[in-house]
C-alpha cells in the first residue's frame, strides 16, 4: 500500500521541476501548454497563468486522452506541458499521470504563489 507521501515522492522523481523564471520564458509558445489543475473556485479567486488551460485534477485523464469523449484538443503529446496548482502536490501527481499516458515532456511549475512571487503575469478567469 502506498501513502500519499510515497506517491508524491514518486511523482517528484518522475516529473522535473521548472522555475517560474524558466516558465516565463516559455509563455505564449505554441508548443507549450500551461495546465492549471486547481479547482474552479481557486482559479476564479486568483486568476491563472495567461493562456493556461484550467482543468481540475480529477478530470485531467479524461481531457488528456484522445480516446475519451471528454478529450480537449489543447492536449497534445508533442507539446511541453507545464502543470501547476496551489502548492505543487496536485501538479506533481498530474505530471506523473500524464507521463504514464505518453506525454513525454512534462514539467511541474509547483504552486501558483511561486509564479506570482516571481512577477508572473496573471489572467482573470
Amino acid at each position: 500500500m502506498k501513502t500519499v507521501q510515497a506517491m508524491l515522492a514518486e511523482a517528484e522523481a518522475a516529473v522535473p521541476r521548472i522555475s517560474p523564471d524558466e516558465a516565463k520564458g516559455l509563455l505564449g509558445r505554441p508548443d507549450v501548454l500551461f495546465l492549471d489543475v486547481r479547482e474552479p473556485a481557486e482559479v476564479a479567486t486568483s486568476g491563472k497563468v495567461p493562456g493556461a488551460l484550467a482543468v481540475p485534477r480529477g478530470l485531467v485523464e479524461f481531457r488528456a486522452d484522445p480516446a475519451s469523449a471528454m478529450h480537449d484538443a489543447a492536449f497534445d503529446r508533442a507539446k511541453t506541458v507545464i502543470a501547476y496548482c496551489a502548492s505543487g502536490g496536485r501538479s506533481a501527481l498530474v505530471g506523473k499521470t500524464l507521463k504514464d499516458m505518453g506525454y513525454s515532456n512534462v514539467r511541474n511549475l509547483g504552486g501558483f504563489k511561486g509564479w506570482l512571487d516571481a512577477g508572473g503575469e496573471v489572467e482573470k478567469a
Side-chain angles (χ1 to χ4, degrees), residues 21-85:
D21 286 331
E22 289 174 288
K24 284 192 288 187
L26 299 174
L27 192 60
R29 285 185 35 177
D31 60 337
V32 176
L33 171 65
F34 279 82
L35 178 62
D36 188 323
V37 299
R38 297 174 297 158
E39 293 298 313
E42 292 174 279
V43 177
T45 298
S46 62
K48 62 186 180 101
V49 171
L53 178 64
V55 178
R57 178 181 171 226
L59 295 177
V60 169
E61 293 89 336
F62 299 100
R63 300 283 170 85
D65 185 349
S68 168
M70 295 175 65
H71 179 250
D72 188 316
F75 282 93
D76 180 343
R77 287 184 175 96
K79 290 184 179 182
T80 297
V81 179
I82 301 174
Y84 67 93
C85 61

Side-chain angles (χ1 to χ4, degrees), residues 58-120:
L59 295 177
V60 169
E61 293 89 336
F62 299 100
R63 300 283 170 85
D65 185 349
S68 168
M70 295 175 65
H71 179 250
D72 188 316
F75 282 93
D76 180 343
R77 287 184 175 96
K79 290 184 179 182
T80 297
V81 179
I82 301 174
Y84 67 93
C85 61
S87 64
R90 289 175 286 181
S91 54
L93 294 170
V94 160
K96 181 170 183 321
T97 297
L98 288 173
K99 288 192 92 161
D100 291 345
M101 294 178 74
Y103 289 81
S104 59
N105 201 1
V106 182
R107 301 288 179 267
N108 182 6
L109 178 56
F112 188 64
K113 184 179 182 321
W115 175 260
L116 295 175
D117 290 349

Side-chain angles (χ1 to χ4, degrees), residues 1 14-15 17 29 73 88 110 115:
M1 182 175 89
V15 181
R17 282 278 185 152
R29 285 185 35 177
W115 175 260

